[in-house]
Amino acid sequence: MFSSNRAVKLSEQLMVPQFICSVVELIINRALSLSNKPITLSAIENKTFTLELAELNFPLSITVSNNVLLVNSTNSTSDCTLISSIATLRQLKAQQQLTELIKQEQLDIQGDIKVAQQFARIAEELDIDWPTEVARHIGDVPTHKIGQLSQKAKKSISQLFETLEADVGEFLIHEKRLAVTNSEIKRFNQGVEQTSDQLTRIESRLAALENRLNDSQ
Amino acid sequence: MSSVEKNSTPSQVQNDANSVADNTTHFGFQTIDKEEKISKVAGVFHSVAKQYDVMNDLMSFGIHRLWKRFTIDASGVRPGNKVLDLAGGTGDLTAKFSQLVGKEGQVILADINSSMLNVGRDKLRDRGLVQNIEYVQANAEYLPFEENTFDIVTIAFGLRNVTDKDKALRSIFSVLKPGGRLLVLEFSKPEHEVLNKAYDFYSFNILPKMGELVAKDGESYQYLAESIRMHPNQETLKEMMENAGFEQTSYKNLTGGIVALHKGYKF
């Protein structure tokens, strides 16, 4: 408890929440300005959506003001608060998971769920032409080369995964039947130990017999 | 106007800080007539206004932006609030408040110095922030607003330049609505001795040289370092706020106490 309080105090003194909020704010607004499809925020003007993630000890509140998204670390005026974790948010991509996750108490939504949906729509509508953006900074030819290289890398990685998947599948179907299981290894080890014990006993009996024979002579 | 100027060491002046005669005050480490401080401080800010933002980023390595964000987060500002950004200078806090209070709210950027106010006004207008901001040239000791006007008053890196801080705090108290709060963001006393020494070295050796190089005005930045040392420490400022009538006063040290955010309510 004490160390957790100390961590919170240190994080506050070093203004970690403010730093994270300013980085997130910068990234989101930059992404919005790069989108090919203009994104209208007027429907959620002055609305605030708050994310309370288990991994962070402060909330992330996003407010729309004058077509700009403002991010801060308070939730005093939130219209909708989503309490969850980063891992659970990944599962949220599949919409049918929402009810299931709420039932499992991995996710909680407080306030107007429509606000959460409207904010989620912004992320879905983002359409950024990355090659054009990169070309603006480094030129067309390097961008084309980078594009080709990344396509090749993507292809190689996907081939690697396909091979790996096939190998694993084959192993599971054919090799697994022949492969030694844990219990078999255990039984084998027990057998080796028993044989070793028996051998020790025979050795000692032979030694005793040899001694008796020597004495009688 | 005759001045009773004298130069003292930091420790001598700090010991004398509470025993200055009624008609004198401090300008950095000098003791001068109260009337003279206003024109001297004005001179400093007329001189640095154009380079103010650049110097802030350079001197604080950009951390002043986080200190200001912390202040906004602590203010509990809501849409529709009326905010006074006192000694608001180039308008960093005003810009954020303007976005957060929305169309129904209002932000007044007030500064005693016309050059700072002009730089702030130009900057905010260039950013398209016009609809809910007003500009007022005002002395913090005699605020030209009706009683019970504002939900929030902030003064960031301004109180130490005010001649009569107690009078300014009383004036702020008067213009706040019941339930309103004052946030004072100001340089303070570092909590650890090692940090204090390093900070002293930086302030008196590096900072004035940086000012000389970038703003072509080393003296103003020498004053900045001296005025920070002369500013009341965390507990003293808290007591001053309580004496002015503020309740539930508290402070939070930031960056090891180099800066502190004081908060107090009017009920």
Side-chain angles (χ1 to χ4, degrees), chain A residues 13 18 25 65 71 73, chain B residues 69 73 96 99 191 252:
Chain A
Q13 269 228 2
Q18 283 70 33
E25 187 177 293
S65 172
V71 183
S73 57
Chain B
R69 256 184 187 269
D73 285 353
K96 265 283 188 266
Q99 290 167 316
E191 294 168 290
K252 279 193 171 143

Side-chain angles (χ1 to χ4, degrees), chain B residues 5-61:
Chain B
E5 238 173 70
K6 65 173 185 187
N7 284 315
S8 320
T9 63
S11 55
Q12 278 172 336
V13 181
Q14 265 185 328
N15 289 337
D16 291 345
N18 296 323
S19 58
V20 178
D22 279 346
N23 61 334
T24 62
T25 186
H26 295 297
F27 177 77
F29 291 157
Q30 301 169 9
T31 304
I32 57 169
D33 279 342
K34 273 185 175 175
E35 289 82 3
E36 208 183 341
K37 179 163 179 172
I38 296 173
S39 62
K40 281 203 168 228
V41 171
V44 166
F45 284 94
H46 282 308
S47 162
V48 301
K50 282 188 179 158
Q51 300 293 334
Y52 190 78
D53 284 342
V54 179
M55 279 302 290
N56 271 354
D57 277 333
L58 268 177
M59 289 185 305
S60 70
F61 310 105

Side-chain angles (χ1 to χ4, degrees), chain A residues 47-49 78-81 109-119:
Chain A
K47 297 275 181 207
T48 301
F49 172 64
S78 186
D79 295 289
C80 179
T81 304
I109 298 179
Q110 293 167 1
D112 187 355
I113 196 164
K114 267 188 188 168
V115 174
Q117 286 168 334
Q118 282 167 318
F119 273 90

